[in-house]
Amino acid sequence: MNINLSTSTIVPSSKDLTISDKVLTATPPTATTEAMKEAARKWREANPDSDGVIYHPSNPSPSQPTEPGQVIDAVITWIGSTSPTANFPAAESRLIAANDSLKTNYMQFLDDLKNIDPALEEQDFGFTVDPQGNLKATSLSGSINADDLARLTDYMNRSDSLKDAANEFAQSSFDYVKEDKEYQGTGGFVLNMNNFEKTVDLGQMYTYQKSGKSNMGNFFAQQVMTKGERAPHPF
């Protein structure tokens, strides 16, 4: 292949450009786009140290072409994560203390139950806190019948120390999640008295005491992240 390099002027095939008769009209910003810009500006001011967001305009569907003045739908994708609040260390310490107290009281309850109703103590049960603050026995494997669950629930609520410890754990866990703010952790969820029993099984956290095997999925944080109610987006 021969390539000719020359410094001579190349004459264009056409010296004149054809003037188009199409008139270009600028489309003024709509109220929606201005509102989105204002929301983004306020968010940046409120979160100067954030990792930021990426704004992805969606591509129009071939059957619904974009017309002048039409607002294109957008997807705002969160990247990075927020940081815990200044109150988080105190909330974490409170939860750790509540966990230690609850574990101690639950182990004592199991010892007492072994003397009162040994057959029941050997069953695969857990417990949680209902919206009214009462303890509720659960069947972790679904093998416990309704009568046994009712007896377990009664036994648990008769123990004031266990009931108080469980409620303290629940209350401290609400603050922990609230102050976490880690969107990829427990801070990405909402935890309160209305959804606690659907989210956290306290007995499940200590099943390794019977089996001798620790299961990460039983841990408090894992339960929240797998069964919890998602928090609204940070902005």
Side-chain angles (χ1 to χ4, degrees):
M1 176 184 295
N2 294 324
I3 302 177
N4 182 23
L5 301 178
S6 173
T7 58
S8 60
T9 302
I10 300 176
V11 181
S13 57
S14 175
K15 296 182 179 181
D16 298 320
L17 298 178
T18 303
I19 299 176
S20 173
D21 57 357
K22 184 176 181 179
V23 179
L24 300 178
T25 304
T27 302
T30 66
T32 302
T33 55
E34 289 302 309
M36 291 174 66
K37 289 180 181 179
E38 180 64 13
R41 183 187 66 77
K42 290 181 178 179
W43 184 86
R44 286 195 300 270
E45 291 178 354
N47 301 270
D49 299 324
S50 172
D51 293 330
V53 296
I54 295 179
Y55 176 84
H56 297 286
S58 62
N59 295 321
S61 169
S63 61
Q64 297 178 329
T66 302
E67 299 177 355
Q70 178 180 341
V71 178
I72 300 177
D73 291 336
V75 176
I76 299 177
T77 303
W78 180 259
I79 61 172
S81 56
T82 57
S83 301
T85 70
N87 296 325
F88 179 74
E92 184 179 38
S93 295
R94 180 186 174 189
L95 184 63
I96 291 174
N99 175 72
D100 291 341
S101 176
L102 177 59
K103 180 180 177 181
T104 298
N105 280 281
Y106 184 51
M107 293 303 105
Q108 182 61 57
F109 171 78
L110 292 179
D111 286 341
D112 294 341
L113 184 60
K114 188 179 297 184
N115 294 324
I116 299 171
D117 198 331
L120 197 57
E121 190 274 337
E122 293 177 356
Q123 297 203 51
D124 186 27
F125 65 86
F127 71 103
T128 187
V129 181
D130 71 15
Q132 288 71 46
N134 296 313
L135 302 187
K136 179 181 179 181
T138 62
S139 177
L140 298 179
S141 60
S143 61
I144 306 178
N145 61 47
D147 289 340
D148 285 348
L149 283 176
R151 289 212 324 281
L152 274 168
T153 295
D154 181 58
Y155 287 150
M156 288 178 174
N157 283 291
R158 286 174 182 269
S159 173
D160 292 336
S161 58
L162 178 61
K163 189 173 181 179
D164 290 344
N167 273 275
E168 168 59 18
F169 183 95
Q171 293 294 332
S172 60
S173 73
F174 304 158
D175 288 339
Y176 176 90
V177 171
K178 177 183 176 183
E179 304 299 340
D180 184 2
K181 299 298 183 184
E182 176 69 44
Y183 199 70
Q184 295 177 349
T186 63
F189 297 84
V190 174
L191 192 62
N192 51 46
M193 286 300 291
N194 292 326
N195 62 22
F196 187 83
E197 76 171 277
K198 298 178 180 178
T199 308
V200 180
D201 191 304
L202 299 171
Q204 186 175 334
M205 296 192 303
Y206 311 117
T207 52
Y208 67 88
Q209 293 292 330
K210 289 184 179 181
S211 66
K213 298 179 181 179
S214 179
N215 183 346
M216 186 175 180
N218 293 344
F219 297 165
F220 166 74
Q222 286 299 117
Q223 290 192 55
V224 172
M225 289 187 284
T226 55
K227 298 183 291 183
E229 175 186 343
R230 268 290 182 184
H233 207 276
F235 59 95

